[in-house]
């Protein structure tokens, strides 16, 4: 094999797309998916690659340092693409310790295992890479710069002006989730600066697409609309997110893995800002249409609920560095991406029903009953 790459969190949403892309595109790379299979990890997400000769799965907790050291040696790992994390902001508000454990200590455990193994080799760090996948949430929140009275007349991008997160924006995380991701980013950069480990960090905006756990806005709402359950919109639905189709994120990771400059940071985003309430209406109309209902019939499922604590107002990524230096651009228009996404969830009810039976009901109730 030309390369031996550990992809952590490969059974999750984004990780499964990255694993699929690498396994299929690079038959001469061995891809070792390392995942603890938490509630968010699901081997069904990888069913189409599980029999490929260049793919291996290891059920493991990245916090288990001895095991990480063993995997590095056993598979002679030369690169790590690190996606494993606790990823849901609402859960981090209820249980911050789990986020510190996995996102901070887990990342540190992996970094140290890589350091010890790579430094034991004659060539040391040559040809090695620790690629850490992070989020735009570490930068904090942007202001809405909307002139009063224009909100409904123009698109979100025009409304909210030209202020974006760039790679040099100061870190200012607000939730336990983003604080834990920020901390892990600092550790990764510290391993480069202190030990000379070749590292890379990318910070991406909100992803959407197939295989996302239905606790996140888009799959949760698609499933609720299908079952005609209330759609819990936090606050007034005025918060803005910048949405990127998950396969475009995976393509960016592939490009940066191969051509990105060591020690650099790249922002990844689609220049595709939406106010929550607007994207929710698009989702309702799309689900209604694809289910043969009258478009907009389910708008009355919208239910405004108590806002998320510390809810960041707006995220918006400036990904021009990635475009200018490496030529990456999103391939999909949002309309096409959202249509494909809704269709995928409606066509894959079995996948959704398996996830949303049992434990999920308890989670759902605990999240929404007091709002
Ligand atoms: P996800 O929650 O869908 O998947 C996370 C995966 O990590 C799961 O398979 C889970 O089993 C695994 N995992 C969790 N704890 C683990 C541990 N201790 N050891 C081993 N495996 C563990 O997450 P996602 O949305 O696919 O996000 C993946 C990464 O991308 C995360 O690092 C996240 O911060 C980052 N990110 C996500 C988004 C987004 O919009 N979803 C955007 C930018 C960055
Ligand atoms: O920006 C990147 C981040 O995007 C990733 O780092 C995170 O892992 C990922 O979960 C996502 O975080 P968000 O908090 O932005 O995603 P979420 O889908 O939870 O929420 C999107 C927006 O919708 C947010 O403003 C909160 C709102 N929302 C969410 C849910 C689940 C609601 O109004 N109601 C809901 O029920």
């Amino acid at each position: 094999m030309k390369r031996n790459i550990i992809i952590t969190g490969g059974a999750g949403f984004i990780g499964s797309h990255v694993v699929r892309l690498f396994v299929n595109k690079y038959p001469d790379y061995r891809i070792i998916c390392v995942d603890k299979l938490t509630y968010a990890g699901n081997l069904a997400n990888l069913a189409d690659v599980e029999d490929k000769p260049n793919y291996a799965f290891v059920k493991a907790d990245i916090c288990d340092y001895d095991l990480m050291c063993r995997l590095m040696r056993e598979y002679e790992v030369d690169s790590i693409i690190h996606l494993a994390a606790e990823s849901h902001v609402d859960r981090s508000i209820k249980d911050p310790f789990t986020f510190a454990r996995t996102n901070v200590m887990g990342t540190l455990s992996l970094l140290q295992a890589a350091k010890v193994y790579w430094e034991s080799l004659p060539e040391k760090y040559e040809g090695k890479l620790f690629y850490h996948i992070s989020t735009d949430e570490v930068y904090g929140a942007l202001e809405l710069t909307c002139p009063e009275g224009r909100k409904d007349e123009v698109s979100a991008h025009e409304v909210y002006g030209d202020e974006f997160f760039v790679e040099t924006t100061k870190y200012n995380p607000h939730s336990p989730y983003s604080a834990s991701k920020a901390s892990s980013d600092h550790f990764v950069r510290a391993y480069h600066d202190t030990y000379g480990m070749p590292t890379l960090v990318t910070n991406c905006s909100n992803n959407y697409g197939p295989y996302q756990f239905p606790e996140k806005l888009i799959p949760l709402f698609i499933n609720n609309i299908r079952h005609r359950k209330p759609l819990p919109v936090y606050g007034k639905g005025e918060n803005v997110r910048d949405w990127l189709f998950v396969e475009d994120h995976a393509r960016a990771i592939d490009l940066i893995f191969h051509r990105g400059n060591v020690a650099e940071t790249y922002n990844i985003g689609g220049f595709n800002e939406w106010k929550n309430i607007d994207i929710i209406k698009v989702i309702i109309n799309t689900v209604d249409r694809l289910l043969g209902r009258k478009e907009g019939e389910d708008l009355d499922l919208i239910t405004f609920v108590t806002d998320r604590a510390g809810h960041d107002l707006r995220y918006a990524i400036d990904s021009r560095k990635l475009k200018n230096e490496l030529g990456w651009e999103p391939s999909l228009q949002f309309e096409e991406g959202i249509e494909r996404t809704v269709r995928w969830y409606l066509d894959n009810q079995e996948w959704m029903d398996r996830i949303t039976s049992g434990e999920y009901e308890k989670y759902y109730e605990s999240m929404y009953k007091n709002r």
Side-chain angles (χ1 to χ4, degrees):
M1 287 288 171
K2 252 168 93 180
R3 299 192 82 148
N4 293 314
I5 306 170
I6 280 185
I7 301 184
T8 70
F13 166 47
I14 302 171
S16 63
H17 289 274
V18 177
V19 168
R20 181 174 300 102
L21 178 68
F22 273 68
V23 167
N24 289 326
K25 188 169 171 187
Y26 303 108
D28 52 352
Y29 291 4
R30 186 190 331 193
I31 304 301
I32 307 115
C33 171
V34 173
D35 199 298
K36 185 183 175 185
L37 298 181
T38 67
Y39 78 92
N42 185 352
L43 286 179
N45 298 356
L46 291 166
D48 54 332
V49 296
E50 67 186 9
D51 293 329
K52 300 272 173 154
N54 62 335
Y55 170 73
F57 175 75
V58 182
K59 184 174 188 301
D61 185 339
I62 54 166
C63 299
D64 185 340
Y65 171 68
D66 292 337
L67 182 53
M68 291 306 113
C69 288
R70 189 154 64 76
L71 293 178
M72 293 298 298
R73 284 194 308 269
E74 244 174 56
Y75 287 99
E76 300 179 349
V77 172
D78 55 68
S79 314
I80 297 175
I81 305 179
H82 176 37
L83 295 106
E86 290 292 338
S87 68
H88 190 40
V89 174
D90 293 331
R91 287 185 191 253
S92 81
I93 294 167
K94 292 205 155 186
D95 176 20
F97 283 102
T98 307
F99 283 70
R101 181 184 179 277
T102 289
N103 298 359
V104 185
M105 291 307 291
T107 301
L108 183 53
S109 145
L110 261 185
L111 281 164
Q112 184 64 15
K115 173 183 180 293
V116 167
Y117 175 61
W118 289 339
E119 287 189 354
S120 75
L121 302 173
E123 76 277 14
K124 302 209 180 293
Y125 287 121
E126 208 186 307
K128 310 294 185 295
L129 183 64
F130 190 106
Y131 178 179
H132 178 61
I133 308 300
S134 192
T135 170
D136 59 0
E137 301 201 10
V138 297
Y139 297 124
L142 296 166
E143 291 298 319
L144 305 183
T145 52
C146 175
E148 276 311 309
R150 290 187 59 223
K151 282 192 178 144
D152 298 324
E153 293 163 29
V154 284
S155 75
H157 182 79
E158 282 172 80
V159 169
Y160 300 127
D162 292 325
E163 202 195 325
F164 294 91
F165 295 134
V166 291
E167 285 80 359
T168 50
T169 301
K170 195 166 149 264
Y171 273 31
N172 186 19
H174 298 129
S175 72
Y177 163 68
S178 51
S180 68
K181 290 296 289 186
S183 172
S184 64
D185 295 7
H186 291 319
F187 270 107
V188 173
R189 295 190 178 107
Y191 266 64
H192 171 268
D193 296 349
T194 308
Y195 307 112
M197 181 182 288
T199 61
L200 263 172
V201 179
T202 54
N203 298 81
C204 189
S205 63
N206 286 62
N207 285 215
Y208 71 98
Y211 300 111
Q212 187 168 30
F213 192 86
E215 62 187 350
K216 309 284 166 57
L217 181 79
I218 292 184
L220 174 69
F221 278 31
I222 293 171
N223 194 42
N224 281 12
I225 297 163
R226 175 168 175 264
H227 293 290
R228 295 218 152 100
K229 282 167 69 174
L231 306 175
V233 180
Y234 299 164
K236 293 182 183 157
E238 294 278 320
N239 303 66
V240 172
R241 295 292 181 265
D242 177 1
W243 294 95
L244 179 69
F245 192 64
V246 63
E247 288 177 13
D248 278 327
H249 188 187
R251 277 197 313 109
I253 290 172
D254 175 19
L255 183 68
I256 294 162
F257 176 83
H258 288 96
R259 296 204 9 236
N261 290 318
V262 163
E264 286 288 334
T265 298
Y266 297 92
N267 279 352
I268 308 173
F271 287 108
N272 180 39
E273 292 177 59
W274 285 80
K275 249 196 295 186
N276 288 343
I277 194 66
D278 292 338
I279 205 169
I280 288 163
K281 288 177 184 163
V282 171
I283 294 164
I284 294 172
N285 285 335
T286 313
V287 176
D288 281 347
R289 179 165 46 77
L290 292 178
L291 285 178
R293 300 177 186 167
K294 193 165 155 268
E295 257 188 51
E297 191 178 320
D298 288 312
L299 282 168
D300 59 0
L301 293 176
I302 291 177
T303 310
F304 293 98
V305 299
T306 311
D307 208 352
R308 173 185 277 175
H311 197 173
D312 286 334
L313 197 51
R314 171 181 170 243
Y315 303 142
I317 276 283
D318 181 342
S319 55
R320 280 177 300 174
K321 174 174 169 181
L322 182 55
K323 182 180 176 189
N324 295 339
E325 289 187 14
L326 301 182
W328 176 89
E329 273 186 294
S331 67
L332 272 193
Q333 291 298 312
F334 182 68
E335 290 67 23
E336 194 187 336
I338 202 73
E339 175 95 12
R340 267 178 65 178
T341 301
V342 172
R343 209 179 270 283
W344 188 88
Y345 286 101
L346 296 180
D347 287 349
N348 288 275
Q349 269 311 310
E350 208 185 310
W351 180 91
M352 181 65 92
D353 291 344
R354 277 207 188 143
I355 289 180
T356 53
S357 59
E359 281 299 302
Y360 179 86
E361 278 301 322
K362 277 189 238 154
Y363 158 78
Y364 192 80
E365 254 179 53
S366 76
M367 278 299 180
Y368 297 110
K369 75 175 173 215
N370 294 324
R371 282 184 186 269

